[in-house]
């Protein structure tokens, strides 16, 4: 418009009439939202109200501002609400059972490698419908799958044998968290824990969420392995379990570790795990310190 008026030396009224354009569009100047008068004070007051009432949305905040005498449009409050990234947190229903147990993940958190191991079972079947019982051992701090064993059945003796191998090769943890299943409360496991100095953290009965790291690991195990493969038998399941465990520890990114694999995260820990020490390798020492499994 300015160029046409300068070239033809005509008035704004005539040029607008010839081009069929409203004159009001030539004098409208938009104001950036960040420069509108009163926005800074309004945003500051909105943040104060949100801190006082975190469960109230922008409509209630707009109503409170109106009650305070602020003549502001609801759409303007909504625009500033979105611009500031404000939102009402999702409802969290009270679940007192999460904090009722002294041995749950909320009360007893892992502070270093080999501090707390989460132990649990998960069940599946092979191609012929025969049962498969999986035992997982997870380091809660590094999220590593320390062991993943599978068989037709597994008793307390089998659990003890797996733990003894881990104690000898990886070290003795400070705590082992598990449920109150018969395989974990048996005399063999209790005696092994007493001789090695491991404290057993038994969660409350019927509260699997208190062993949340094991439940989270089993969710990924079932989604990525158990539901994705058809096992011909126990031997096939063992081979696939070993392959998947290596993939999980060394190649699969873990979101809670900054999207690095658990083994890579554990390798960055230069400080040795406090309270964890490997068992003596000598057979005589092992025979005197470990319980008889027979």
């Amino acid at each position: 418009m300015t160029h046409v008026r300068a070239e033809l030396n005509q008035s704004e009224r005539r040029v607008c009439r010839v081009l069929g354009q409203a004159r009001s569009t030539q004098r409208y100047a938009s104001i950036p939202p960040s420069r509108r008068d009163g926005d800074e004070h309004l945003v500051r007051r909105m943040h104060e109200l949100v801190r006082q009432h975190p469960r109230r949305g922008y409509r209630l905040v707009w109503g409170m501002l109106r009650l305070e005498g602020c003549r502001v449009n609801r759409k303007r409050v909504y625009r500033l609400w979105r611009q500031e990234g404000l939102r009402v947190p999702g409802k969290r229903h009270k679940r007192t059972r999460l904090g009722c147990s002294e041995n749950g993940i909320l009360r007893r958190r892992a502070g270093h490698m080999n501090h707390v191991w989460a132990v649990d079972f998960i069940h599946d079947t092979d191609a012929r419908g025969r049962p498969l019982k999986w035992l997982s051992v997870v380091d809660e701090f590094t999220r590593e799958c320390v062991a993943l064993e599978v068989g037709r059945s597994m008793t307390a003796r089998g659990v003890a044998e797996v733990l003894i191998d881990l104690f000898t090769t990886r070290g003795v943890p400070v705590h082992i968290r598990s449920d109150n299943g018969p395989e974990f409360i048996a005399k063999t496991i209790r005696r092994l824990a007493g001789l090695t100095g491991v404290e057993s953290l038994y969660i409350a009965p019927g509260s699997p969420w208190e062993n949340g790291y094991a439940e989270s690991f089993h969710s990924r195990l079932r989604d990525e392995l158990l539901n994705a493969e058809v096992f011909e038998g126990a031997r096939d399941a063992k081979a696939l379990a070993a392959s998947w465990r290596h993939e999980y520890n060394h190649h699969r990114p873990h979101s809670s570790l900054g999207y690095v694999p658990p083994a890579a995260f554990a390798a960055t820990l230069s400080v040795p795990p406090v309270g964890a020490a490997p068992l003596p390798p000598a057979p005589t020492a092992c025979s005197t310190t470990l319980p008889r499994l027979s």
Side-chain angles (χ1 to χ4, degrees):
M1 177 66 69
T2 305
H3 176 72
V4 174
R5 289 183 58 193
E7 290 293 331
L8 302 178
N9 193 21
Q10 297 292 328
S11 66
E12 179 183 276
R13 184 190 303 273
R14 180 173 177 79
V15 173
C16 287
R17 185 169 61 250
V18 172
L19 296 179
Q21 187 172 0
R23 293 182 59 200
S24 59
T25 61
Q26 303 305 311
R27 302 187 180 184
Y28 175 80
S30 61
I31 303 176
S34 58
R35 297 184 180 181
R36 291 184 178 175
D37 296 338
D39 274 7
E40 293 80 7
H41 173 74
L42 186 58
V43 169
R44 185 161 54 252
R45 183 54 185 159
M46 288 173 57
H47 279 282
E48 293 174 358
L49 294 175
V50 168
R51 282 193 295 267
Q52 296 174 10
H53 310 282
R55 298 297 310 167
R56 300 184 181 180
Y58 79 93
R59 290 183 178 86
L60 289 179
V61 170
W62 168 71
M64 296 165 65
L65 291 172
R66 296 277 292 186
L67 291 176
E68 294 177 356
C70 180
R71 300 186 61 181
V72 58
N73 188 282
R74 180 173 59 87
K75 295 181 180 179
R76 182 182 177 189
V77 173
Y78 177 71
R79 175 181 57 81
L80 296 176
W81 181 278
R82 295 293 299 272
Q83 180 179 312
E84 295 296 314
L86 299 175
R87 61 185 298 270
V88 179
K91 284 189 176 181
R92 298 187 62 184
H93 300 283
K94 289 186 177 180
R95 299 191 345 181
T96 56
R97 61 184 181 272
L98 289 177
C100 63
S101 175
E102 292 293 334
N103 295 332
I105 58 176
L106 295 182
R107 298 290 182 88
R108 308 291 288 273
R109 293 182 178 273
H112 51 77
M113 185 192 298
N114 285 0
H115 188 193
V116 182
W117 287 0
V119 183
D120 202 1
F121 283 111
I122 186 172
H123 300 269
D124 198 47
T125 57
D126 62 9
R128 298 173 58 184
R130 295 173 296 181
L132 292 173
K133 192 174 184 179
W134 304 69
L135 172 69
S136 66
V137 183
V138 178
D139 190 312
E140 292 190 1
F141 187 77
T142 64
R143 308 299 200 275
E144 291 177 282
C145 177
V146 181
L148 184 60
E149 301 293 333
V150 58
R152 295 296 178 192
S153 64
M154 189 172 299
T155 62
R157 176 175 177 173
V159 175
E161 290 176 350
V162 172
L163 292 178
I164 289 173
D165 291 340
L166 292 177
F167 293 168
T168 305
T169 57
R170 183 182 175 91
V172 181
V174 181
H175 308 288
I176 291 182
R177 197 191 316 273
S178 68
D179 56 24
N180 294 270
E183 302 89 351
F184 302 132
I185 63 175
K187 292 182 179 179
T188 302
I189 302 298
R190 291 180 180 271
R191 187 182 177 195
L192 176 63
L195 293 175
T196 55
V198 178
E199 181 184 358
S200 298
L201 302 178
Y202 294 113
I203 64 175
S207 305
W209 49 84
E210 293 186 351
N211 198 7
Y213 291 100
E215 294 297 320
S216 176
F217 174 78
H218 283 176
S219 175
R220 285 147 183 79
L221 174 65
R222 184 170 295 280
D223 184 50
E224 299 178 9
L225 179 62
L226 304 189
N227 291 347
E229 299 287 348
V230 177
F231 307 107
E232 296 299 330
R235 181 178 299 179
D236 183 38
K238 288 178 182 290
L240 291 174
S243 176
W244 186 86
R245 174 175 170 267
H246 178 80
E247 172 71 19
Y248 177 86
N249 284 336
H250 295 274
H251 302 288
R252 184 186 185 279
H254 204 291
S255 58
S256 64
L257 302 178
Y259 292 93
V260 299
F265 172 76
T268 62
L269 304 178
S270 57
V271 180
V274 180
L279 294 178
T284 58
C286 291
S287 61
T288 58
T289 57
L290 298 181
R292 298 180 60 184
L293 303 179
S294 59

